[in-house]
Amino acid sequence: MGLWKKVTGIIKDKNSIVWANFSGKSSFRNPDLETSIIKATSHDEYHIDKRNAQIVFSWIRASPISLRPLVWALSRRMEKTRSWVVAVKGLMLMHGVFYCKVFAVEKMGRLPFDLSSFTDGDTTSGKTWGFNAFVREYYAFLDQRALVLSEKDNRKADDRSPMAQQLSKLQKLQSLLDMLLQVKPRAENMKLPLILEAMDCIIIEIYDVYSRICAEITKVLLNIYSVKKPEAATALKVLQKAMTQGEELSLFFDSCKEFGVMNANEFPTVAQIPKEEVEELERIVNWASDTTYEDSIGDYSIEENDKTAAIVEHKEALKTVITDKWVVFDENLKINEEKNNKNFSFAEETAALIEYVPVYNYHQQEIPDLISF
């Protein structure tokens, strides 16, 4: 960052704080909260004010009515800024707010600001295209995440079968994972502490989403013998998508490690489903595509006890496939979670992201009691 740009950023932040302090308190403005938001999203790319981020999270947890002034202040700052630094910090702050687990936040629906066409104001150097893309991709993911979060409780009024609802949830999670894998540094000049911190947030989110996908697929496959044609076809697509995403995840983690994202080293190897086992699962799904498995068994002239035994044997075979091959990754995640939980309680300190992943300080100097958004 050039000296003049740094000075200009400091002046802008100070002016914003002055105006915030002069504003009166109302239902949509809180000068103290607004000041913390400005400090947490400052123009300084080499410093992340984690103390003020904690203050923002504390306000939201302690008083949900603080969401309205937070939305007003953060939206106003995000819509006005042409600094990729402020935009990234604002997105990281919003990412942390989601993990405060406040009902009003979960019902927000979409992000209250739009960065889908963000462009940094420094267009003369021609070196900001990577940062512009990063902001837009990070925004797109968080916006979709907010929408999925708001739809979480709508399943109560869903008249579809439990399996159809579960498959729909899986497809949404897989869509989120696709968007997460697009959030990455694309230029060499992006090897900066702020970008590395933001990528730590992304890696942790990937861990969360992918572990949930593994768990949900396990549940679906254990009940695949009883599904009918539409659900079986969807289940097969989900499984095929999971195979593709497993390969993409491995490549993504490798590229993150090469770039220097430390949290990418903390996750177990992504276990791929063996091809022969996939073929077996596809055979089972295709069998179920015409009727349910129980119905297909019933077409044969066999005794009731033999039919029951056949169903049980088939289910046990499928459980063996899933238990031995698919859940390997999920079990590794649990072991990794327990190991990290003994050393670091991240969410309790920050109200942001997941507590069992250690966060690295990319700054050369040691800054006391910092958190990652």
Side-chain angles (χ1 to χ4, degrees):
M1 179 187 290
L3 179 59
W4 176 247
K5 189 175 179 180
K6 185 174 182 178
V7 171
T8 302
I10 292 173
I11 293 173
K12 287 181 178 179
D13 292 337
K14 288 188 177 296
N15 287 341
S16 297
I17 291 171
V18 170
W19 281 110
N21 289 327
F22 271 112
S23 66
K25 193 169 185 178
S26 65
S27 60
F28 63 92
R29 295 201 72 170
N30 182 327
D32 294 331
L33 178 58
E34 198 169 334
T35 297
S36 291
I37 290 171
I38 294 167
K39 290 180 178 179
T41 60
S42 71
H43 286 75
D44 188 351
E45 66 189 65
Y46 295 104
H47 174 66
I48 302 174
D49 194 332
K50 300 182 179 184
R51 177 177 174 276
N52 276 287
Q54 286 185 8
I55 291 174
V56 172
F57 301 146
S58 297
W59 271 98
I60 297 300
R61 288 198 306 267
S63 177
I65 62 173
S66 299
L67 180 62
R68 187 174 182 183
L70 178 142
V71 166
W72 187 91
L74 188 57
S75 298
R76 188 167 178 265
R77 189 158 174 81
M78 292 298 99
E79 296 286 0
K80 287 177 61 178
T81 190
R82 295 194 66 195
S83 165
W84 70 263
V85 176
V86 174
V88 169
K89 287 183 178 182
L91 291 170
M92 292 170 68
L93 187 66
M94 197 71 227
H95 201 167
V97 168
F98 285 142
Y99 276 92
C100 290
K101 297 181 180 179
V102 174
F103 182 76
V105 174
E106 294 180 353
K107 289 300 174 185
M108 186 182 300
R110 305 292 289 265
L111 290 191
F113 50 85
D114 184 6
L115 295 178
S116 59
S117 57
F118 174 84
T119 302
D120 188 87
D122 184 13
T123 57
T124 56
S125 64
K127 297 180 180 179
T128 58
W129 66 269
F131 299 102
N132 294 338
F134 189 86
V135 169
R136 294 171 188 175
E137 289 156 357
Y138 197 175
Y139 164 79
F141 159 69
L142 286 179
D143 190 50
Q144 186 63 26
R145 188 192 190 284
L147 182 60
V148 171
L149 192 63
S150 69
E151 296 173 347
K152 185 174 64 174
D153 294 328
N154 291 346
R155 294 192 302 273
K156 295 177 181 178
D158 199 329
D159 58 357
R160 293 177 298 173
S161 68
M163 176 63 78
Q165 293 182 45
Q166 201 164 29
L167 289 170
S168 176
K169 177 183 177 182
L170 257 171
Q171 288 178 314
K172 289 178 180 178
L173 287 173
Q174 289 183 323
S175 177
L176 277 181
L177 185 57
D178 279 339
M179 299 183 82
L180 272 168
L181 295 178
Q182 294 302 310
V183 186
K184 54 188 175 183
R186 300 175 183 273
E188 283 298 317
N189 66 329
M190 296 180 70
K191 285 187 177 181
L192 299 169
L194 178 57
I195 295 298
L196 293 172
E197 292 276 6
M199 284 304 300
D200 269 340
C201 297
I202 297 300
I203 292 290
I204 295 169
E205 185 77 34
I206 287 175
Y207 170 93
D208 182 36
V209 172
Y210 191 64
S211 62
R212 282 156 54 191
I213 288 174
C214 289
E216 291 298 324
I217 286 182
T218 300
K219 295 175 186 177
V220 167
L221 294 181
L222 287 174
N223 291 289
I224 200 66
Y225 66 92
S226 63
V227 303
K228 295 185 178 180
K229 186 172 182 178
E231 294 170 346
T234 304
L236 181 56
K237 289 179 182 178
V238 166
L239 181 61
Q240 292 168 337
K241 178 71 172 177
M243 292 175 56
T244 302
Q245 287 187 325
E247 296 170 357
E248 292 172 348
L249 268 176
S250 296
L251 295 174
F252 184 86
F253 284 154
D254 288 342
S255 65
C256 286
K257 290 174 187 176
E258 291 177 6
F259 196 82
V261 181
M262 298 304 295
N263 273 344
N265 294 308
E266 292 300 312
F267 294 94
T269 302
V270 180
Q272 304 294 336
I273 306 174
K275 184 178 180 181
E276 59 273 15
E277 304 299 352
V278 173
E279 291 172 351
E280 170 65 13
L281 291 174
E282 287 179 343
R283 185 183 68 79
I284 295 170
V285 171
N286 288 329
W287 188 358
S289 294
D290 297 325
T291 62
T292 66
Y293 179 74
E294 287 91 337
D295 290 341
S296 64
I297 290 291
D299 290 340
Y300 297 98
S301 299
I302 57 177
E303 296 295 330
E304 186 67 26
N305 288 342
D306 293 337
K307 183 172 78 172
T308 302
I311 294 173
V312 170
E313 180 181 357
H314 197 70
K315 288 170 63 179
E316 290 303 319
L318 181 56
K319 285 181 181 179
T320 301
V321 170
I322 297 168
T323 302
D324 290 347
K325 305 298 181 183
W326 175 252
V327 193
V328 169
F329 182 78
D330 194 42
E331 289 301 316
N332 284 341
L333 292 180
K334 291 177 182 177
I335 293 171
N336 199 57
E337 173 181 345
E338 291 171 0
K339 179 184 72 175
N340 286 316
N341 252 333
K342 294 178 182 178
N343 301 323
F344 197 78
S345 181
F346 186 55
E348 290 297 321
E349 288 290 325
T350 68
L353 302 181
I354 302 172
E355 68 268 22
Y356 40 75
V357 179
V359 177
Y360 295 82
N361 179 17
Y362 292 100
H363 302 271
Q364 292 182 354
Q365 68 272 25
E366 186 67 25
I367 303 175
D369 194 30
L370 292 190
I371 63 166
S372 186
F373 283 51

